[in-house]
């Protein structure tokens, strides 16, 4: 992703914050938002594993189309999708350049194309699945799949707290910048500006460490007051939390259709095999 | 809460000097490490990656963040939280989740932070902090470089498809390793950590209801049976290699040549899967035994 990053890295802390809020909260409806989160995670696992059992280019291409269709059905926002496409294309160009640079020929590029397409299926599936799930549902699904409670908690905590933490960091950094003179000269390639920025960013971590420590203590004490650790030791606590999850006809239908489509992709691959020589 | 008050409260604070810290405190360190390392990774998303040819001259992570928590609070829980924070906060949230590679990264990062955090015995000693930061990046990057070189080695050994590829990969990995140690380990690791850890020592602990560490006291959160821990760590490293190879299997076999696959067949893949199953089985048996001993 190194090349793709350059595109969005020109942006600011503020932009990252907005992007995070958008990813975490802005569910636009769509197919997966109404589904049981366990089914969505299962769907993701199926789509993520499917491309790795074949070298058949036809199958991989079919799976890519299926994943792209899923992204359309999930109504992924144009911004996230745009970043993904730019990233994929640039990565491909970069890999091709690197391959030619090291004296490889076109076969290497085709090999890389295959791997990139497989990774693309993975990314598309994760876009479709995780953009549609809100944090509470995702954390319930993880709990239902017997992940450690700490991981389930981490996911929902991360989604909820990250925008706040980033905002706090941005505020602290603005404060530091207001209290300091900017570098007088830019230096070669603006290295003084870069150094100044880096020093401020690192210094801002001192108050952030203390603030976060305080807020984490409050969070953990509130959790423990409601019996976080001891509720997870007793299986009934878990049963209550995941009690609201129901597998509906829609979930079964989507899973069945996906299974059929994946099988169809493999059938198409068997029918018209296209291998790299 | 002023510093003077916290000093006076010190006697009432529960210690972190033994492995018997309370569960809520461990949870606090875990959540704090997760949140701060996640935040640091998001901040890093803003810094542009500079790529000189195939060598990535950029900061991989703010090493001083997990190192500070590991050195001041509890290396085990800090090491457990930090890579999870990276996965949850940046990879999952930013839509950059890469499946099996995340498990590999998690295990490597956990080992690196735990080892480095355990090295810092005195949070006010700057040489120890410097050593800790360099060791952290060293362990993490050495493991991943070994995995990368191994991938090419396994794949390319008998096929001379691209001449000089193994050498150039080893060279590139070496350069990349050096750059990472300088950029992530020293510039954005050791130097900030040498300032931040002594500055936070005695200030952050009371906020979590803990007593500041006294230099040289036994490791908080260190494993009671070191032998077991070493066994588990070696197993974890092996698992991370297996995951990396499973992931690379496709690329290395595909890129190299069909002959290789014909000769070894998909049997090689099954060897990897078998190794994974065996390692997991041994690990779970060990874990069960360990747990039963702990209960007694």
């Amino acid at each position: 992703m190194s090349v793709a990053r350059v595109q969005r890295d020109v942006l600011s802390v503020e932009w990252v914050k907005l992007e995070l809020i958008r990813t975490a909260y802005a569910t636009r409806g769509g197919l997966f938002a109404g589904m049981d989160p366990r089914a969505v995670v299962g769907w993701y696992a199926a789509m993520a594993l499917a491309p790795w059992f074949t070298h058949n280019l036809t199958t991989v291409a079919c799976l890519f189309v299926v994943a792209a269709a899923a992204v359309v059905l999930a109504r992924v926002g144009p911004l996230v999708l745009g970043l993904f496409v730019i990233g994929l294309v640039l990565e491909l160009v970069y890999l091709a350049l690197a391959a030619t640079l090291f004296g490889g020929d076109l076969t290497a590029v085709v090999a890389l194309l295959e791997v990139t397409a497989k990774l693309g299926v993975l990314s598309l599936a994760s876009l479709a699945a995780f953009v549609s799930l809100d944090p509470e549902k995702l954390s319930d699904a993880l709990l239902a799949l017997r992940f450690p409670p700490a991981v389930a908690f981490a996911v929902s905590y991360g989604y909820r707290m990250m925008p706040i933490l980033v905002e706090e960091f941005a505020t602290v950094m603005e404060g530091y910048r207001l209290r300091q003179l900017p570098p007088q000269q830019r230096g070669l390639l603006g290295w003084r500006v870069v150094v100044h920025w880096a020093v401020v960013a690192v210094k801002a971590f001192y108050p952030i460490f203390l603030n976060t420590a305080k807020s984490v203590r409050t969070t953990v004490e509130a959790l423990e007051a409601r019996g976080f650790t001891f509720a997870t030791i007793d299986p009934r606590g878990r049963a209550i939390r995941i009690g609201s999850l129901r597998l509906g006809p829609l979930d079964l239908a989507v899973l069945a259709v996906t299974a059929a489509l994946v099988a169809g992709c493999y059938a198409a691959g068997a029918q018209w095999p296209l291998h790299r020589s | 809460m002023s510093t003077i008050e916290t000093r006076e409260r010190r006697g009432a604070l529960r210690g972190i000097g033994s492995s018997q810290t309370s569960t809520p405190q461990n949870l606090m360190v875990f959540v704090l490490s997760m949140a701060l390392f996640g935040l640091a990774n998001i901040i890093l998303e803003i810094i542009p990656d500079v790529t000189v040819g195939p060598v990535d001259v950029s900061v991989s992570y703010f090493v001083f963040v997990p190192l500070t928590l590991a050195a001041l609070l509890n290396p085990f829980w800090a090491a457990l939280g930090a890579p999870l924070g990276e996965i949850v906060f940046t990879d999952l949230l930013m839509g950059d989740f890469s499946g099996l590679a995340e498990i590999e990264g998690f295990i490597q990062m956990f080992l690196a932070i735990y080892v480095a955090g355990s090295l810092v015995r005195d949070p006010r000693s700057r040489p120890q902090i410097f050593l800790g930061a360099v060791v952290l990046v060293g362990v993490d990057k050495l493991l991943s470089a070994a995995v990368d070189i191994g991938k090419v080695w396994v794949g390319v050994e008998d096929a001379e498809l691209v001449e000089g590829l193994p050498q150039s990969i080893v060279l590139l990995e070496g350069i990349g390793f050096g750059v990472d140690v300088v950029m992530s380990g020293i510039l954005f690791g050791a130097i900030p950590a040498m300032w931040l850890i002594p500055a936070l020592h005695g200030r952050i602990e009371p906020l979590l209801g803990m007593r500041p560490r006294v230099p040289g006291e036994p490791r908080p959160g260190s494993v009671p049976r070191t032998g077991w821990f070493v066994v588990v760590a070696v197993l974890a490293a092996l698992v991370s290699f297996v995951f990396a190879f499973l992931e690379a299997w496709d690329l290395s076999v595909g890129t190299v040549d069909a002959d290789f696959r014909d000769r070894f067949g998909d049997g090689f893949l099954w060897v990897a899967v078998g190794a994974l199953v065996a390692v997991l089985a041994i690990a779970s048996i060990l874990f069960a035994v360990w747990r039963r001993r702990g209960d007694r």
Side-chain angles (χ1 to χ4, degrees), chain A residues 45-70:
Chain A
M47 283 307 286
L49 285 178
W52 299 100
F53 294 106
T54 181
H55 287 284
N56 194 328
L57 291 179
T58 317
T59 312
V60 174
C62 288
L63 285 170
F64 194 87
V65 171
V66 171

Side-chain angles (χ1 to χ4, degrees), chain A:
Chain A
M1 287 300 286
S2 53
V3 180
R5 271 212 184 130
V6 178
Q7 305 299 316
R8 44 185 170 130
D9 288 343
V10 193
L11 308 150
S12 63
V13 177
E14 192 64 24
W15 182 83
V16 172
K17 192 185 78 199
L18 289 176
E19 174 73 359
L20 282 175
I21 294 173
R22 193 178 299 115
T23 319
Y25 295 103
T27 305
R28 298 153 167 258
L31 177 62
F32 297 101
M35 279 172 66
D36 184 300
R38 285 173 297 180
V40 177
V41 172
W43 176 87
Y44 169 69
M47 283 307 286
L49 285 178
W52 299 100
F53 294 106
T54 181
H55 287 284
N56 194 328
L57 291 179
T58 317
T59 312
V60 174
C62 288
L63 285 170
F64 194 87
V65 171
V66 171
V71 165
V72 173
L73 286 175
R75 296 194 201 155
V76 176
L79 186 74
V80 180
L81 202 60
L83 285 176
F84 166 76
V85 171
I86 293 173
L88 196 69
V89 169
L90 281 178
E91 176 127 345
L92 211 60
V93 170
Y94 180 67
L95 286 177
L97 276 181
T100 34
L101 205 71
F102 280 98
D105 47 6
L106 214 64
T107 49
V109 177
V110 177
L112 294 172
L113 183 73
E114 183 193 333
V115 173
T116 312
K118 287 179 178 181
L119 288 176
V121 173
L122 205 74
S123 308
L124 283 174
S126 79
L127 275 185
F130 291 115
V131 166
S132 311
L133 285 179
D134 68 50
E136 296 307 320
K137 284 176 109 179
L138 181 56
S139 122
D140 283 354
L142 291 178
L143 207 60
L145 296 171
R146 299 207 172 265
F147 272 75
V151 175
F153 164 71
V155 170
S156 65
Y157 179 84
Y159 275 68
R160 292 262 176 260
M161 289 299 287
M162 211 10 82
I164 302 174
L165 282 177
V166 172
E167 177 148 22
E168 199 173 318
F169 188 85
T171 314
V172 171
M173 223 173 130
E174 291 300 320
Y176 269 101
R177 286 174 66 186
L178 280 176
R179 273 179 263 148
Q180 284 179 359
L181 274 179
Q184 297 295 312
Q185 292 139 4
R186 290 181 55 83
L188 183 68
L189 291 174
W191 70 272
R192 281 178 208 275
V193 181
V194 174
V195 168
H196 179 74
W197 191 92
V199 168
V200 168
V202 168
K203 274 190 175 169
F205 267 97
Y206 177 71
I208 288 293
F209 260 83
L210 296 174
N211 286 355
T212 315
K214 222 170 164 180
S215 76
V216 161
R217 186 184 185 178
T218 313
T219 308
V220 169
E221 279 175 351
L223 279 173
E224 291 300 342
R226 288 152 201 242
F228 177 75
T229 306
F230 297 100
T232 51
I233 289 172
D234 192 326
R236 282 175 299 177
R238 181 173 162 275
I240 292 170
R241 264 201 73 185
I242 64 173
S244 61
L245 301 180
R246 294 266 179 285
L247 277 176
L250 176 68
D251 306 309
L252 297 178
V254 169
L255 288 180
V257 168
T258 308
L261 283 176
V262 170
C265 290
Y266 273 88
Q271 191 72 39
W272 302 284
L274 178 61
H275 281 279
R276 210 159 8 84
S277 50

